[in-house]
Amino acid sequence: MREVRFHNSLSGKKETFTPSDPNKVTVYSCGPTVYNFAHIGNLRAFLFVDLLRRSLKALGYRVDMTMNITDIDDKIIRDSIAQKLTIQEFTAPWIKAFQEDIHTLNIEPLEHYPRATESIESMVEMIRRLQDNGFVYEKDGSLYYSISKFKGYGKLSKIDITGMKSGTRYDTDEYEKDDVRDFVLWKYPKQEGEHSWDTSLGKGRPGWHLECSAMIRDVYHSGVDIHTGGVDLLFPHHENEVAQSEGAYPGESFVKYWLHSEHLLVDGEKMSKSKGNFFTLRDLLEKVKPSEIVSHAKSIRYLLISSHYRTKLNFSISRLEEAKTSVARFQNCIDRLLEELEKFQVKAPIQSIDLGGEFQNWWEECLDSLADDLNISKFLANSFDAIKRINSALDSGEWKKENLQQSLEFLRRIDSILGVLHFQKEEISADEHIDDLVLQRQEARKNKDFAKADQIRDQLQSMGIVLEDTKDGLRWRRK
Ligand code: AMP
Ligand code: ZN
């Protein structure tokens, strides 16, 4: 197995990756807070998890991965009370929307998606251990973690706690960067209608940081090899996770490698709900014709994974267009190969076959790039070199059937990482044909060619298509 290196936030360096058990690499990623649609910045963080998963698998590891769903927090309580819904009623559609987004972006499902509200027992158990180990104090019915009691506090985020006034507390789930305070483990209910659990700790609900520590324990009965999240979670969230897990289970390894993914920006600023400068996946997909949704989602996926996870990425529509062109370069090459193969009466899908010399070398270089802290830029550069070579061989007609099959197998492996290509010849779909007719009709009307416009309208009518003017423009539907 080749050497794999990841940049570990704990050491601030690239380190050789040695999982506890190569047959089961355990990965935990902080997931969505389900009170609204995820924006594409959040989705960049989730796509990074997908890239990590696909890369580990391609590099020969078996994986067991978890992403939590935060279905209880300040915002969820605020909005569910306002809408007079129970927590479950309020979060259910947002959980579904998250699952749909993941599916649309071709993100592989993980092994576990635990929910905070279903893990209360393990959170109580963790607090009990922390109490036994002397980290917990009570104030007004809530329980707090005393960070001055944990010797290693600050080792992950490199935050300095000297000078911190001990006993200053934060009650809210989110707080200002670099403001070091004791954090809440168990919150006593404060408002009317606030959801709470009656437990051996008393009435209340868990603090946000506790959920990840408890779920990791719950799912793996140990720590994990890799923990991921966006850079904004490094402090205080992940620092607090370390304090909780290592405080509750002293002497045990909690996380071996911390991987943090950078932000998606808009005009140089972090995309965020609070700034209002965000797009959801749906915002972007609504802008295209129904028949283009699949290819648009592929461009979005490609754009969000094609910059290295530790670099900031500025989102713009022109970048999305560039991503579309790149995907098309891959796909055109596959389409040409499929066409050539038809001449040999070979139909896709091609069974997995061994790669020959040249192809094997390309693939090895691609794997080397991934093994180097998921260097996707190098991976793509290698892939495009290969595409150039394949296209020129196709131009000169120098290849035999075997070379064509190996090229396709090589591209299939590339797509096991990228997840944006297809390997069957696509017929132009019925929907695409209708989209096209509708556009032609609009064009004809614009040019005052009413005879042509009427003729297309009749054609659409005979196909059972109804045209409707909506606030989003002209739409069609079947009768
Ligand atoms: P949330 O649903 O707010 O808990 O966030 C889910 C994930 O999205 C976390 O890993 C965040 O770090 C990440 N995240 C939030 N905003 C951005 C952004 N603009 N770019 C990339 N990741 C983000
Ligand atoms: Zn977390």
Side-chain angles (χ1 to χ4, degrees):
M1 209 178 248
R2 59 171 45 69
E3 185 191 18
V4 175
R5 285 153 60 83
F6 287 128
H7 181 275
N8 189 349
S9 306
L10 188 61
S11 63
K13 289 202 279 271
K14 267 192 214 174
E15 293 176 16
T16 301
F17 177 60
T18 38
S20 305
D21 172 2
N23 279 319
K24 189 178 158 193
V25 175
T26 52
V27 184
Y28 181 89
S29 302
C30 295
T33 308
V34 284
Y35 72 107
N36 210 325
F37 290 119
H39 59 60
I40 55 167
N42 302 135
L43 293 171
R44 184 188 185 196
F46 306 149
L47 277 164
F48 159 62
V49 177
D50 191 52
L51 181 66
L52 175 65
R53 177 183 180 85
R54 288 167 180 259
S55 302
L56 283 169
K57 282 164 63 176
L59 290 164
Y61 294 102
R62 301 243 309 266
V63 294
D64 188 299
M65 300 178 63
T66 302
M67 180 177 280
N68 68 309
I69 294 184
T70 300
D71 59 352
I72 181 101
D73 90 327
D74 292 345
K75 288 181 287 240
I76 292 173
I77 290 185
R78 176 196 68 199
D79 293 355
S80 63
I81 291 176
Q83 295 179 26
K84 297 192 171 48
L85 295 172
T86 65
I87 294 290
Q88 271 74 16
E89 285 165 349
F90 173 76
T91 55
W94 303 121
I95 293 174
K96 185 156 169 277
F98 164 70
Q99 288 161 339
E100 284 168 1
D101 286 353
I102 290 243
H103 179 74
T104 307
L105 288 175
N106 198 17
I107 291 177
E108 287 187 3
L110 305 184
E111 284 69 22
H112 318 273
Y113 291 101
R115 297 181 189 184
T117 55
E118 291 169 359
S119 317
I120 302 295
E121 273 309 305
S122 17
M123 298 195 226
V124 170
E125 160 71 17
M126 184 152 274
I127 295 178
R128 284 257 167 256
R129 284 182 162 268
L130 288 171
Q131 282 177 325
D132 291 346
N133 297 345
F135 293 101
V136 184
Y137 64 93
E138 195 232 291
K139 182 91 183 114
D140 302 331
S142 292
L143 300 174
Y144 295 86
Y145 189 107
S146 172
I147 60 172
S148 59
K149 296 259 168 66
F150 182 67
K151 243 178 62 219
Y153 197 86
K155 66 178 173 181
L156 175 62
S157 60
K158 321 290 181 266
I159 210 99
D160 186 3
I161 69 162
T162 50
M164 171 206 156
K165 245 175 89 202
S166 80
T168 44
R169 289 172 306 278
Y170 257 114
D171 254 9
T172 53
D173 287 331
E174 283 167 275
Y175 48 96
E176 290 305 311
K177 290 274 150 295
D178 303 350
D179 192 354
V180 194
R181 300 198 190 185
D182 290 343
F183 59 92
V184 69
L185 292 164
W186 189 254
K187 295 188 185 198
Y188 188 73
K190 291 203 174 54
Q191 14 170 358
E192 182 82 17
E194 182 172 329
H195 193 92
S196 63
W197 284 263
D198 237 333
T199 70
S200 58
L201 296 169
K203 218 170 150 63
R205 65 178 170 98
W208 168 48
H209 309 299
L210 185 62
E211 143 187 359
C212 295
S213 286
M215 285 178 182
I216 290 175
R217 196 77 207 175
D218 212 16
V219 174
Y220 298 110
H221 309 290
S222 68
V224 284
D225 293 310
I226 302 176
H227 193 316
T228 83
V231 279
D232 53 318
L233 301 185
L234 186 57
F235 181 83
H237 182 53
H238 290 161
E239 193 68 59
N240 291 350
E241 278 189 41
V242 173
Q244 291 164 156
S245 295
E246 296 188 1
Y249 296 92
E252 281 190 35
S253 158
F254 172 45
V255 172
K256 285 182 91 172
Y257 304 89
W258 285 93
L259 271 56
H260 287 99
S261 56
E262 257 298 350
H263 284 145
L264 185 67
L265 313 180
V266 189
D267 299 328
E269 273 203 85
K270 179 189 168 196
M271 181 178 284
S272 76
K273 297 229 174 84
S274 55
K275 287 202 197 96
N277 61 348
F278 65 92
F279 297 100
T280 66
L281 184 57
R282 287 135 212 266
D283 291 336
L284 296 178
L285 296 180
E286 266 171 20
K287 289 190 177 30
V288 299
K289 293 183 286 180
S291 60
E292 284 175 0
I293 285 177
V294 172
S295 79
H296 206 53
K298 287 180 175 180
S299 309
I300 296 167
R301 176 181 165 96
Y302 185 91
L303 173 63
L304 295 180
I305 62 171
S306 58
S307 292
H308 190 260
Y309 74 94
R310 287 194 298 112
T311 60
K312 294 184 172 62
L313 168 64
N314 217 343
F315 177 79
S316 69
I317 298 298
S318 64
R319 285 208 115 147
L320 196 51
E321 283 303 312
E322 284 166 25
K324 190 174 175 184
T325 310
S326 301
V327 175
R329 263 171 83 190
F330 279 108
Q331 192 59 52
N332 291 342
C333 183
I334 293 171
D335 293 349
R336 282 188 79 184
L337 285 164
L338 292 174
E339 210 153 283
E340 281 301 309
L341 265 176
E342 268 188 6
K343 295 183 188 153
F344 295 95
Q345 321 249 295
V346 179
K347 274 221 157 35
I350 311 296
Q351 292 304 312
S352 193
I353 54 165
D354 284 342
L355 294 177
E358 194 178 6
F359 298 93
Q360 189 61 39
N361 292 343
W362 286 336
W363 179 237
E364 295 294 333
E365 279 179 30
C366 286
L367 287 180
D368 286 344
S369 313
L370 295 177
D372 178 19
D373 195 30
L374 307 181
N375 190 338
I376 192 74
S377 317
K378 207 151 154 242
F379 175 92
L380 289 171
N382 290 334
S383 313
F384 281 124
D385 282 348
I387 296 264
K388 228 192 254 166
R389 167 78 183 106
I390 296 172
N391 278 334
S392 76
L394 287 171
D395 290 341
S396 64
E398 68 191 75
W399 271 357
K400 297 200 265 312
K401 184 172 97 183
E402 195 187 39
N403 303 121
L404 301 171
Q405 286 178 312
Q406 286 170 332
S407 301
L408 271 178
E409 171 59 16
F410 168 75
L411 287 165
R412 199 191 55 72
R413 292 190 193 185
I414 293 295
D415 194 50
S416 71
I417 304 297
L418 298 182
V420 292
L421 304 173
H422 58 87
F423 289 79
Q424 251 140 345
K425 271 187 93 176
E426 265 204 340
E427 300 296 325
I428 150 158
S429 73
D431 282 3
E432 251 171 314
H433 182 52
I434 297 163
D435 279 344
D436 199 42
L437 284 172
V438 173
L439 270 185
Q440 281 184 39
R441 181 168 175 271
Q442 276 172 305
E443 205 50 33
R445 283 171 63 125
K446 223 165 67 197
N447 300 332
K448 307 215 178 325
D449 185 351
F450 296 111
K452 184 169 178 200
D454 287 350
Q455 180 238 318
I456 298 175
R457 183 201 56 211
D458 294 346
Q459 187 181 349
L460 285 165
Q461 249 171 14
S462 68
M463 292 163 76
I465 302 300
V466 184
L467 296 177
E468 284 172 340
D469 261 317
T470 71
K471 65 173 178 28
D472 299 320
L474 194 65
R475 290 268 184 267
W476 62 262
R477 65 175 172 81
R478 292 196 165 78
K479 252 191 248 170

